[in-house]
Amino acid sequence: MPSTRYRAIEAAALFNPVFGAYILTCAVNAAIKAEAGQPLSWPSAFLVLPLVLPEDTRADLPVKASRSMAAWLADHPQHRALFPQRAAHLTEYTRASLRTGVRHGALQITAQGIRCPRSPRKPSIDHGSEVVDCAKKAILVGRWLAVVNSATAFTLLGVRP
């Protein structure tokens, strides 16, 4: 079992806006690829981190996006129940991560939504297995959000934009 000090360092790394920007960039890039160049809607960006960062939710996310968000939530009602509180707690972190991504040129905010001017680097196992896992799950969530209307996604997750 990891020490308390190790867990504190790991938590600090997960809530670093640079890491959040990277996870958002992975999701935005996947959404754009899934929808033939259409950007991710601004509100949808606030759904990514609360789905990807909590370890219990991330562990239950499917490997492939062939399973719809609605079907996954039907099989995992505990995550839908926890989502509103998690989303509220991560709102400021998401904003800080978006600002960091824009400031560093990894994300662009346009009238149509959020774009990714260049593909993010693939995560290396050198950065840790949790980073790799978060990036993979962000790609999945980005694909989900590309094919579902943002209002529908918010409704499925029990929150309002």
Side-chain angles (χ1 to χ4, degrees):
M1 171 158 266
S3 72
T4 304
R5 178 177 154 78
Y6 175 79
R7 283 193 304 256
I9 291 169
E10 190 174 65
L14 273 178
F15 294 107
N16 178 333
V18 173
F19 180 69
Y22 173 69
I23 296 304
L24 288 169
T25 302
C26 289
V28 169
N29 189 56
I32 290 169
K33 286 182 178 179
E35 277 301 296
Q38 292 300 312
L40 183 69
S41 73
W42 171 259
S44 293
F46 288 85
L47 303 177
V48 175
L49 298 178
L51 282 169
V52 173
L53 294 182
E55 188 177 8
D56 60 335
T57 305
R58 187 174 63 245
D60 286 344
L61 286 170
V63 176
K64 295 183 180 180
S66 57
R67 181 111 199 257
S68 73
M69 180 187 284
W72 178 77
L73 285 167
D75 290 344
H76 297 89
Q78 72 276 19
H79 297 307
R80 185 185 188 280
L82 292 170
F83 189 84
Q85 182 180 10
R86 288 177 173 175
H89 287 305
L90 291 172
T91 298
E92 283 307 314
Y93 175 60
T94 300
R95 284 187 184 125
S97 298
L98 285 166
R99 284 191 302 269
T100 300
V102 169
R103 191 170 33 251
H104 291 278
L107 296 169
Q108 293 176 335
I109 308 295
T110 69
Q112 296 79 33
I114 303 172
R115 294 192 172 279
C116 182
R118 61 183 182 277
S119 294
R121 289 185 185 175
K122 287 190 176 202
S124 166
I125 196 68
D126 295 340
H127 296 115
S129 61
E130 194 162 17
V131 171
V132 173
D133 194 36
C134 285
K136 286 180 181 178
K137 298 304 180 167
I139 292 167
L140 166 90
V141 170
R143 289 179 183 152
W144 271 352
L145 294 173
V147 297
V148 67
N149 177 298
S150 63
T152 303
F154 274 81
T155 301
L156 288 170
L157 290 163
V159 292
R160 290 185 294 170

